[in-house]
Amino acid sequence: TCNKKVADRGGGGEFFCERCNRGCVPKYRYILGFHAADHSGECWITAFDETAPEIIGASGDDMKNMEDAQDPRRAELIQNAGNKLLKLSVRVSEDTYNDEVRKRVVVTSVRELDFIQESNALIGQIYQMLNGQPLDLR
């Protein structure tokens, strides 16, 4: 329940949480790194367990069970995730590691792309620009 990384005790399927100081059953969680691109460019993005199941279409536990059972649906889910058109909200931050500044991009929310809604928003922005009004890009 503490979401801390657990250690496998000797490979027998027994896991131990150092924070809680007791044995536990692990909940498999995502740290999903992927390359995303749109018309403006491309970057590497990380999605954690709060947003990654929406991208993949299955929980971390389900993916682990499919991996253990060598279920072909696992590969299909991963392949389909790479072909989805999604609207991602991201948080960008800079970290310094070994005197090198790195950009970190983390997904904060995921939505299926609604072409009608997006088109209407763009049309509204075009009318605002034509009428000399300031754009609200939120």
Side-chain angles (χ1 to χ4, degrees), residues 37-51:
D38 67 5
H39 69 284
S40 64
E42 59 188 55
C43 67
W44 281 97
I45 299 178
T46 303
F48 293 102
D49 202 57
E50 295 75 24
T51 54

Side-chain angles (χ1 to χ4, degrees), residues 1-5 16-22:
T1 59
C2 68
N3 289 333
K4 187 82 171 157
K5 185 177 179 178
F16 182 76
C17 177
E18 292 180 6
R19 182 182 205 185
C20 300
N21 200 25
R22 62 185 172 128

Side-chain angles (χ1 to χ4, degrees), residues 49-65:
D49 202 57
E50 295 75 24
T51 54
E54 296 175 58
I55 296 169
I56 297 292
S59 71
D61 285 329
D62 291 342
M63 291 296 280
K64 177 63 174 162
N65 291 337

Side-chain angles (χ1 to χ4, degrees), residues 54 85-89 109-114 117-118:
E54 296 175 58
L85 295 176
L86 300 170
K87 185 169 186 172
L88 304 176
S89 295
S109 72
V110 179
R111 284 193 302 132
E112 291 284 332
L113 197 57
D114 182 350
Q117 180 183 3
E118 297 297 323

Side-chain angles (χ1 to χ4, degrees), residues 25-38:
V25 176
K27 178 185 183 296
Y28 291 92
R29 299 173 52 85
Y30 281 104
I31 301 176
L32 178 66
F34 59 96
H35 187 246
D38 67 5

Side-chain angles (χ1 to χ4, degrees), residues 63 71-80:
M63 291 296 280
D71 190 332
R73 290 179 297 163
R74 181 177 180 274
E76 186 179 315
L77 283 170
I78 294 169
Q79 180 70 34
N80 290 341

